[in-house]
Amino acid sequence: MVTLTQLWMPILLAAVLVFVASSLIHMVFKWHNPDYRKLGNEEEVRAALRATGAAPGQYMIPYCIGAEGAKDPVIQKKWQEGPIGFLMMRPAGMPSMGGTMAMWFAVTLLVALAAGYLASRTVPVGASFLAVCRVVGGATFLAYAFGGPINAIWGGKPWVSAAKEVLDAAIYATVSACAFAWLWPR
């Protein structure tokens, strides 16, 4: 049996490779940039949101919780009129890229750790490159892939954007699987 301590190097390497791949996707290739649109009246919307005093958090427009609220004719009219959406509000000020990048790296490390744990329990010492790739690639793909489609179904995220995130996940799974397979205990 393989222990997690034997996998510290592939866990760390997989996390670093996913972080690098993600950085290339977002900062060099920028294939997600078209996923975001600008409102034509952005300044008016910003002023209206500031006027509400909305704190950082998650909001829905129109606001309605539960089946009872959905039956309200006022809410039904608002749905017909539109717009319908979800809004994420962050604190004012320049976002901290350092803190955000550190949290993203922590996520990549946790995903690699979980994939390593699963592989350590299911793939024997000396397993083939492909055997390791199947388990680690499958686990990491599942971890990274389904946020986009879930947000497309429930939150209205454009399907093109969700599909790009699934492609990102395939890339992350590939680099993770290769890192583990390359360094798998022999």
Side-chain angles (χ1 to χ4, degrees):
M1 181 190 301
V2 177
T3 65
L4 268 180
T5 55
Q6 290 175 289
L7 298 179
W8 72 268
M9 184 71 116
I11 289 169
L12 185 58
L13 180 60
V16 168
L17 290 176
V18 168
F19 186 85
V20 169
S22 172
S23 297
L24 290 171
I25 286 167
H26 291 279
M27 293 186 257
V28 176
F29 301 116
K30 300 180 181 183
W31 70 43
H32 289 283
N33 283 8
D35 297 345
Y36 300 93
R37 299 179 189 166
K38 181 179 180 180
L39 293 169
N41 60 342
E42 180 179 321
E43 291 309 311
E44 294 166 11
V45 172
R46 289 179 65 238
L49 288 170
R50 265 194 315 276
T52 69
Q58 179 174 284
Y59 298 85
M60 65 188 296
I61 304 167
Y63 179 76
C64 171
I65 298 294
E68 290 304 313
K71 293 176 185 173
D72 183 342
V74 172
I75 294 297
Q76 291 179 1
K77 182 174 188 243
K78 288 180 180 182
W79 282 338
Q80 293 302 315
E81 294 171 344
I84 299 169
F86 297 93
L87 178 66
M88 307 292 179
M89 299 283 288
R90 296 182 67 153
M94 182 69 172
S96 165
M97 285 306 289
T100 302
M101 299 288 265
M103 286 187 288
W104 171 235
F105 183 74
V107 167
T108 68
L109 197 56
L110 287 172
V111 169
L113 182 64
Y117 173 77
L118 180 63
S120 75
R121 298 298 174 249
T122 60
V123 181
V125 171
S128 71
F129 193 92
L130 188 56
V132 176
C133 284
R134 280 187 198 115
V135 173
V136 174
T140 54
F141 181 76
L142 289 171
Y144 291 119
F146 291 102
I150 289 168
N151 286 326
I153 292 165
W154 293 104
K157 180 185 211 77
W159 277 101
V160 168
S161 177
K164 289 180 191 176
E165 290 177 6
V166 172
L167 179 58
D168 295 350
I171 293 167
Y172 302 160
T174 300
V175 299
S176 296
C178 289
F180 273 86
W182 177 50
L183 296 171
W184 195 254
R186 303 284 168 225

